[in-house]
Amino acid sequence: MEKVVIVTGANSGIGLALCERLLTEDTQLRLCLACRNMQRAEAARSALLTSHAGAHVDLLQLDVGSVESVLDAAKVVKSRYNRIDFLYLNAGIMPNPQVDIRAFFKGLFSRNVINMFATAEGLLTQQDHLNSDGLQEVFATNLFGHFVLIRELEPLLCQTGHTSRVVWTSSSNARRSAFSMDDIQHRKGTEPYSSSKYASDMLSVALNRRMNGQGLFSSVVCPGLVMTNLTYGILPSSFWTLIMPIMWLIRIFTNTFTLTPYNGAEALHWLFLQKPESLDPRAKYHSLTSGLGTNYTEPRQMDIDGETADVLFSKLLELEKGVRRKLCERNADNEAHQRYLNEIE
């Protein structure tokens, strides 16, 4: 039986590299590229079919930063597939990154250089904005939209006698100090990316606590330091030209500098080959590359309390109700929205 795999943010970077690796691993795969920009998605599909002639690659328009887009995409998925084997939640944004240049150059020639590049701690902030749903954009895209997608696809993910996998692309920048349960959208802070990634780690733990018994297993991956469009957007191109030779040199001494999307997708691909029952529900699986260029995966325990993760899950449920209620009011003639409103009242 062919596996059904959906990858969000699949048109470039780690997402596209993962798709390439999955098709190389399993030629019978039914792969769905879930992307916001359909022109780029078409280009990605063409590239994949060029190297994997005859592969089954579908496209799905999905902007995880818009709840309405998530609901529309979920409707298409439920009409197209009768189950989902893997749901890779890879899409993410880091808008308007601001780098403390002074701290950057100070750290560049210090003992802390590896940790600085790996976590961006004390170096990187972002300017966030509200989206059309009235939510913080980074929170909505990196976490909440994916949460709603999982909720909508539960009938395909949780089926008797079938196991399914949800895999989150997290980050080494996911830090507990950046997250507040009193401000889960990070409205008051300056590190929304770090906050959203730590929240996705927590949500993965909560999903395992709640849904392993229904056949759904969630895992978290850190791709390491990868040069993608998101990374290149942090600094001007002239800076990258200057420091890339230094980064390749540092890579000899650290395994977290995966650098290429192919290497960064190592743990995502590795999880595809594992039985869910053998995985640690509280581990983050890191893509690592040795100084000699060998890729491997290593689990590391996350600093997350299960009960606290459950609190976040409950808060997201309440927020979902509020957002869906607003959508119902905005689309009063939409039967699906009205049916949901009647269910939660």
Side-chain angles (χ1 to χ4, degrees):
M1 184 182 296
E2 64 179 8
K3 288 188 175 70
V4 176
V5 179
I6 299 175
V7 182
T8 70
N11 59 17
S12 64
I14 295 170
L16 181 56
L18 169 65
C19 292
E20 174 70 34
R21 295 187 68 161
L22 292 178
L23 289 175
T24 300
E25 183 68 40
D26 186 350
T27 57
Q28 302 302 312
L29 203 65
R30 185 163 184 183
L31 181 64
C32 177
L33 315 184
C35 307
R36 179 177 57 182
N37 187 314
M38 294 309 290
Q39 185 175 357
R40 293 180 180 178
E42 287 282 3
R45 181 176 184 272
S46 296
L48 291 170
L49 292 178
T50 297
S51 55
H52 301 279
H56 197 155
V57 183
D58 300 327
L59 298 181
L60 175 70
Q61 185 155 26
L62 169 64
D63 177 2
V64 286
S66 163
V67 172
E68 193 151 21
S69 176
V70 171
L71 298 178
D72 289 343
K75 188 183 303 182
V76 173
V77 170
K78 286 185 279 191
S79 69
R80 185 185 292 174
Y81 312 114
N82 57 23
R83 74 179 194 288
I84 297 171
D85 294 285
F86 283 83
L87 177 59
Y88 282 96
L89 304 176
N90 173 72
I93 60 171
M94 184 193 292
N96 308 307
Q98 305 292 319
V99 177
D100 186 329
I101 299 298
R102 183 177 179 181
F104 173 79
F105 279 106
K106 183 178 179 180
L108 188 61
F109 301 102
S110 72
R111 295 180 179 179
N112 194 46
V113 61
I114 293 176
N115 182 69
M116 180 188 73
F117 276 119
T119 68
E121 186 173 1
L123 182 67
L124 191 63
T125 60
Q126 303 94 43
Q127 295 178 357
D128 203 1
H129 304 283
L130 292 179
N131 68 4
S132 59
D133 294 316
L135 303 172
Q136 294 298 127
E137 186 179 24
V138 176
F139 165 84
T141 304
N142 295 1
L143 178 74
F144 188 67
H146 284 136
F147 171 77
V148 175
L149 183 64
I150 294 170
R151 296 261 299 148
E152 282 295 302
L153 296 181
E154 275 187 31
L156 275 64
L157 290 166
C158 302
Q159 297 183 353
T160 303
H162 174 256
T163 59
S164 62
R165 309 279 294 282
V166 170
V167 184
W168 301 80
T169 301
S170 183
S171 170
S172 56
N173 189 239
R175 298 197 317 277
R176 187 172 192 169
S177 60
F179 178 82
S180 170
M181 194 64 76
D182 296 325
D183 183 21
I184 62 172
Q185 295 192 49
H186 207 74
R187 294 181 185 273
K188 302 175 183 178
T190 59
E191 297 180 276
Y193 182 81
S194 180
S195 174
S196 69
K197 289 301 182 180
Y198 184 77
S200 68
D201 294 354
M202 294 180 69
L203 182 52
S204 179
V205 171
L207 286 170
N208 283 321
R209 286 167 63 88
R210 288 170 173 261
M211 307 188 76
N212 280 178
Q214 301 174 52
L216 186 150
F217 294 82
S218 181
S219 300
V220 180
V221 162
C222 175
L225 178 61
V226 183
M227 305 311 297
T228 64
N229 292 336
L230 187 149
T231 315
Y232 281 119
I234 296 174
L235 291 168
S237 58
S238 57
F239 276 98
W240 289 120
T241 301
L242 174 66
I243 68 173
M244 279 307 295
I246 300 174
M247 293 178 66
W248 281 99
L249 179 63
I250 294 174
R251 176 183 167 181
I252 299 174
F253 305 101
T254 179
N255 55 12
T256 59
F257 280 34
T258 49
L259 296 185
T260 70
Y262 181 92
N263 294 346
E266 175 67 21
L268 294 163
H269 173 247
W270 182 85
L271 284 170
F272 179 75
L273 304 175
Q274 309 307 309
K275 293 183 178 180
E277 298 84 358
S278 68
L279 300 172
D280 186 340
R282 291 176 179 270
K284 179 179 289 188
Y285 290 87
H286 289 250
S287 296
L288 301 172
T289 303
S290 71
L292 297 177
T294 301
N295 294 321
Y296 60 103
T297 298
E298 181 179 287
R300 299 176 183 174
Q301 286 294 304
M302 295 188 290
D303 180 23
I304 290 174
D305 173 72
E307 292 183 359
T308 305
D310 288 340
V311 172
L312 174 64
F313 190 96
S314 298
K315 282 180 173 283
L316 292 174
L317 284 178
E318 288 303 311
L319 182 60
E320 180 194 5
K321 291 179 182 179
V323 173
R324 294 282 290 265
R325 185 177 287 107
K326 289 180 180 178
L327 281 177
C328 291
E329 295 169 354
R330 189 191 310 167
N331 303 279
D333 58 340
N334 187 299
E335 292 184 6
H337 286 316
Q338 286 302 313
R339 185 165 56 251
Y340 176 82
L341 184 59
N342 292 334
E343 288 174 358
I344 65 176
E345 292 297 343

